[in-house]
């Protein structure tokens, strides 16, 4: 396991908080060891720091009440969705209470005419899309995991569809947020655009629960496209695949998804999903539009791919075939794990300007060879964003050190290319040092905002930046 | 002229600042009366509150130096672009210095491969698009006025293209900002997406210069579409035109522009631009895409329009014809002025969920009739956003009161429909009271952020909210 710094604990305050919460919420407060560990650890490689208790609120009013109790006793609060964050966002380095939002899972309103809906934070993406299907609508952000929408907003999630539909920052109209003093604010109304004051919606999106707890979201929706077509296409090398992506974006083809798998990932996926894909770098694509439009996009992409050595096209237009292809992509993490059973997978990501993508991937592959690390690469390459599944025996200090060298070089390389140390996984505990390296004085400004809005430092402390 | 509250002046501090600035910048500091008035007043209906001096910085370092001088003497600073804001954003209610950014008008870098560019804040939209044309690129946000990009970011501008390309919040990758203590921060890098900490880019966009001064912007660019087609189409009534818009958006036609003119606006435009359009409500549209795609979009729209009584289609595919049509739209303000020469035009806007658009416009037209006010309506109706050009003799107290009644009802109506009191003009001085009405406690949160980042209250004080 990776290292995670512990912070000073306010023992008496935490004890007083738990007593008060038990008196008020009874059985909904749990201190069971396994539950606490699950709420701290999740899918991150950062060492486990469990909260002292887990509590399941059922309304904004209850969250407000809980925050007031925690504030009165200076007790940390860590909001929890489905536990799929990757950088230690859910750990409790100073102890405190994990607020599990999964009982707040009601789809409150769907405004089909306005292409928006109001949901509680514990609703997950799949649940929402099943609810919307009969209305001909969908919510496009798909981070792969069955994340909750509150968690997705808090970490500014994106995923495979972001190249066309944007990230969470582009798909939320307003948020209801319980602030550090227990007060409740609504950041905006349902208008599609607004110039009414500071953009508090976007400030809360990606704040990883350090500024407040999201208790309701209004989301933008999309009409389900009339036609959808997916494709798999092989390339002789990663740079050629990347250059095909660059040309596609520059040409203005509105691809809905354009995903890279390197050779190692294709091998892993073949083994895991019992497929027979050619074991070379590959792109997985999806086109959305009218039947005519999809046909035109696919033809234009086919020409571009041909120029960069793309071959072996497989097209999937039936929904079940498309679903199988994307499932294979979403299972990349598990497929990677199968390459070296028994070790851990550290999932890390960076994002660079697309002109630097091929270089960034190639230099990283050279690092992997030099350091002797197995780490398949997948990527939302239309945005210049890619991921490594680093296979590492974290109990072996030397291996862990090599992995840390790799990740440090990767983050710094992306920053040097005018990109970011994280395109979609967030900062959490794992990338705090890189954030300082990336943004310098802007982190001081974040700290000033954090101190102003959370003067007691109780909202998910020890994340994003040192306060 | 409308009322504008004055704030207490720090006379000795202002005098010390001006002396220090003159010693350092010489002739670049001006106190000429006409220049000061121009820098305060611009196109707003709010009464003029000129700054004490106007200064033309030439670099980020100079802006930083100026802010340090102002901070040392607690002197207000009002950043100025082209002076096209509409809600009193440029007034100096406590006096101080107007920072005219128009000498910082360099296009610093264009990264054609990455579809982005770096510009100084004084670059205007037209200048940028002329520079980009030969590269086959353009910057899509078009607020009508020849605004500077710094001003457009500061006011979260949008305009006719926003229905397809979003607003300034969607088209800026990062900002360099001089903060209230003179420190300089860069909010992000050039990656297309990032989850690296708080979204300071979006916090600064729309802050109207109250949190810092933008001195550099990295903007997303678009490829110039292969095919563009514009259309003019008449409707029997405003509700029918609105319903055609709603159906178009719901159907998912990716219109690049879809603009409403009510009957009065068409009349005004005929007179001003010497045209012969049918004097009924009308929609003006534009489609961007491949030749096939544009054709398909136009056909699909034609069918929808037909269902709502749309008729008299005129299509414009030649660039000069399209330019003439959109010029007529952009001149709506001047055309409106011609309906009642000699009086003032108060331009106001609201934005509502699109399902409420037809009701909101109809109820507003009923108000106009009741109050006896002439006010043509135009709107970026694909976003649910519309504008009134209120023709009013502001020297006549009774007329001004009627106009204020109209605007108050309009803002409150939009808010009651779960919309906003301003879709794109911002809050400035003119809409501070409505902002409180619209967002309640969120305005307290804005105030907390303002105080934390600008403890001396020198950055464009008296705007957005009372501090």
């Amino acid at each position: 396991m990776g290292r995670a710094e512990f912070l000073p604990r306010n023992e008496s305050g935490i004890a007083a908080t738990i007593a008060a919460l038990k008196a008020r919420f009874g059985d909904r407060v749990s201190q069971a060891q396994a539950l606490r560990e699950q709420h701290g650890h999740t899918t991150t490689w950062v060492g486990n720091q469990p909260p002292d208790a887990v509590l399941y609120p059922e309304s904004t009013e209850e969250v407000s009440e809980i925050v007031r109790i925690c504030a009165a006793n200076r007790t940390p609060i860590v909001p929890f969705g489905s536990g799929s964050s990757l950088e230690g966002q859910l750990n409790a380095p100073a102890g405190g209470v994990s607020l599990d939002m999964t009982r707040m899972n009601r789809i409150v309103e769907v405004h089909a005419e306005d292409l928006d809906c109001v949901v509680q934070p514990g609703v997950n993406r799949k649940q929402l899309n099943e609810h919307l299907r009969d209305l001909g609508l969908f919510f496009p952000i798909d981070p792969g995991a069955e994340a909750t929408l509150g968690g997705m907003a808090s970490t500014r999630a994106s995923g495979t569809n972001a190249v066309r539909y944007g990230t969470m920052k582009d798909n939320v109209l307003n948020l209801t947020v319980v602030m550090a003093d227990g007060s409740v604010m609504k950041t905006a109304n349902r208008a599609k655009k607004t110039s009414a004051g500071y953009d508090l919606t976007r400030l809360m999106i990606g704040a990883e629960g350090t500024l407040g707890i999201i208790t309701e979201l209004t989301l933008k929706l999309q009409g389900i496209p009339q036609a959808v077509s997916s494709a798999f296409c092989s390339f002789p090398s990663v740079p050629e695949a990347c250059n095909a992506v660059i040309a596609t974006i520059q040409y203005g083809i509105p691809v809905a998804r354009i995903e890279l798998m390197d050779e190692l990932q294709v091998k892993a996926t073949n083994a895991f999903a019992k497929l027979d894909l050619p074991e070379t770098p590959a792109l997985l694509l999806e086109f959305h539009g009218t039947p005519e439009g999809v046909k035109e996009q696919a033809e234009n992409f086919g020409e571009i791919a041909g120029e960069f050595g793309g071959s072996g096209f497989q097209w999937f237009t039936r929904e079940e075939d498309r679903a199988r292809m994307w499932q294979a992509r979403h299972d990349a993490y598990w497929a990677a794990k199968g390459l070296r059973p028994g070790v851990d997978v550290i999932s890390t990501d960076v994002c660079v300007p697309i002109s630097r993508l091929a270089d960034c991937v190639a230099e990283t592959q050279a690092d992997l060879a030099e350091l002797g690390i197995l780490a398949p690469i997948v990527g939302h390459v239309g945005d210049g964003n890619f991921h490594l599944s680093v296979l590492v025996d974290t109990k072996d200090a030397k291996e862990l050190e090599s992995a840390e060298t790799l990740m440090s070089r990767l983050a710094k390389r992306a920053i040097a290319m005018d990109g970011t140390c994280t395109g979609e996984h967030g900062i959490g505990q794992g990338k705090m040092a890189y954030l300082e390296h990336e943004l310098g004085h802007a982190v001081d400004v974040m700290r000033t905002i954090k101190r102003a809005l959370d003067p007691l430092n109780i909202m998910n402390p020890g994340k994003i930046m040192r306060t």
Side-chain angles (χ1 to χ4, degrees), chain A:
Chain A
M1 280 298 113
R3 284 172 280 265
E5 208 177 302
F6 279 90
L7 300 174
R9 288 171 55 87
N10 171 11
E11 294 295 354
S12 62
I14 293 171
T17 294
I18 291 176
L21 292 176
K22 282 189 168 167
R24 167 66 181 83
F25 295 100
D27 279 356
R28 277 200 273 154
V29 182
S30 169
Q31 291 194 274
Q33 176 79 5
L35 191 75
R36 292 195 293 115
E37 282 180 5
Q38 178 230 332
H39 279 72
H41 183 245
T42 72
T43 46
T44 179
W45 66 287
V46 182
N48 191 216
Q49 297 171 324
D52 293 279
V54 177
L55 170 51
Y56 297 80
E58 294 178 0
S59 68
T60 298
E61 294 66 34
E62 284 190 2
V63 174
S64 166
E65 208 180 329
I66 294 161
V67 172
R68 283 178 208 275
I69 291 170
C70 289
N73 299 291
R74 294 196 173 223
T75 298
I77 311 164
V78 186
F80 181 97
S82 73
S84 53
S85 62
L86 293 162
E87 292 292 350
Q89 279 92 346
L90 301 168
N91 262 338
V97 179
S98 173
L99 244 58
D100 185 317
M101 308 301 284
T102 51
R103 289 199 195 163
M104 290 180 66
N105 65 348
R106 207 157 52 81
I107 296 166
V108 181
E109 290 169 3
V110 178
H111 305 110
E113 273 200 308
D114 294 321
L115 300 174
D116 72 48
C117 69
V118 181
V119 301
Q120 291 187 321
V123 170
N124 80 35
R125 197 187 62 77
K126 203 170 158 188
Q127 174 195 353
L128 178 60
N129 280 330
E130 278 165 10
H131 185 89
L132 294 172
R133 190 176 301 147
D134 289 347
L135 297 166
L137 299 172
F138 78 114
F139 180 71
I141 311 300
D142 177 6
E146 281 318 322
T148 62
L149 289 152
M152 287 166 63
S154 283
T155 54
R156 204 181 298 131
S158 48
T160 54
N161 276 320
V163 63
R164 166 114 178 209
Y165 298 101
T167 76
M168 284 302 282
K169 88 171 160 50
D170 306 300
N171 288 280
V172 175
L173 289 173
N174 67 56
L175 297 169
T176 301
V177 184
V178 176
M179 305 300 289
D181 60 358
S183 65
V184 179
M185 78 159 174
K186 191 166 175 195
T187 58
N189 290 346
R190 288 202 299 116
K192 267 285 156 59
K193 68 184 198 188
T194 169
S195 55
Y198 302 164
D199 191 344
L200 299 180
T201 310
R202 253 50 60 181
L203 183 64
M204 294 295 152
I205 292 172
E208 302 187 5
T210 64
L211 298 178
I213 299 168
I214 296 170
T215 61
E216 197 169 271
L217 309 89
T218 302
L219 305 171
K220 281 198 220 175
L221 302 175
Q222 302 285 334
I224 294 175
Q226 291 175 49
V228 176
S229 172
S230 297
F232 178 93
C233 173
S234 297
F235 285 84
S237 71
V238 165
E240 282 161 299
C242 288
N243 287 326
V245 174
I246 295 172
T248 303
I249 299 298
Q250 285 170 354
Y251 190 79
I253 300 177
V255 277
R257 290 168 159 165
I258 186 161
E259 297 282 308
L260 174 74
M261 285 185 174
D262 76 349
E263 191 173 333
L264 187 59
Q265 182 65 56
V266 175
K267 274 185 190 146
T269 294
N270 271 345
F272 182 81
K274 302 189 176 35
L275 295 173
D276 194 26
L277 303 167
E279 294 189 347
T280 66
L283 291 179
L284 286 72
L285 295 108
E286 192 162 278
F287 305 102
H288 292 177
T290 60
E292 280 300 312
V294 163
K295 195 164 158 275
E296 190 181 30
Q297 290 177 50
E299 282 167 7
N300 288 337
F301 173 74
E303 278 178 33
I304 289 171
E307 287 170 31
F308 295 94
S311 66
F313 269 90
Q314 299 182 48
W315 290 96
F316 308 102
T317 49
R318 289 194 317 162
E319 193 174 342
E320 56 268 40
D321 297 334
R322 290 202 315 269
R324 203 162 52 237
M325 186 186 94
W326 290 111
Q327 192 59 47
R329 163 65 188 86
H330 282 325
D331 287 340
Y333 173 93
W334 301 107
K337 229 172 150 63
L339 285 177
R340 197 180 160 201
V343 305
D344 297 296
V345 181
I346 302 178
S347 183
T348 193
D349 87 309
V350 296
C351 190
V352 295
I354 200 164
S355 65
R356 306 308 308 275
L357 177 65
D359 288 346
C360 196
V361 173
E363 291 177 27
T364 303
Q365 287 185 317
D367 267 352
L368 291 170
E370 179 197 324
L371 294 163
I373 296 175
L374 215 55
I377 293 175
V378 294
H380 313 313
V381 282
D383 292 315
N385 179 210
F386 67 94
H387 301 241
L388 263 65
S389 299
V390 185
L391 299 169
V392 53
D393 179 356
T394 52
K395 285 180 288 297
D396 179 328
K398 228 178 131 188
E399 271 203 30
L400 187 59
E401 202 187 313
S402 288
E404 285 178 348
T405 300
L406 172 78
M407 291 191 290
S408 169
R409 285 189 197 169
L410 175 63
K412 287 177 181 166
R413 175 177 302 123
I415 294 167
M417 289 177 169
D418 215 353
T420 174
C421 67
T422 178
E424 57 180 29
H425 294 178
I427 299 297
Q429 298 175 306
K431 289 192 167 168
M432 289 204 288
Y434 304 132
L435 182 68
E436 297 277 352
H437 186 75
E438 180 173 327
L439 295 181
H441 182 52
V443 186
D444 299 327
V445 174
M446 293 180 200
R447 213 171 266 127
T448 303
I449 293 169
K450 165 74 173 170
R451 285 181 189 145
L453 295 181
D454 178 22
L456 303 176
N457 196 24
I458 60 170
M459 305 309 273
N460 206 6
K463 313 298 163 65
I464 300 184
M465 81 291 274
R466 280 177 182 76
T467 40

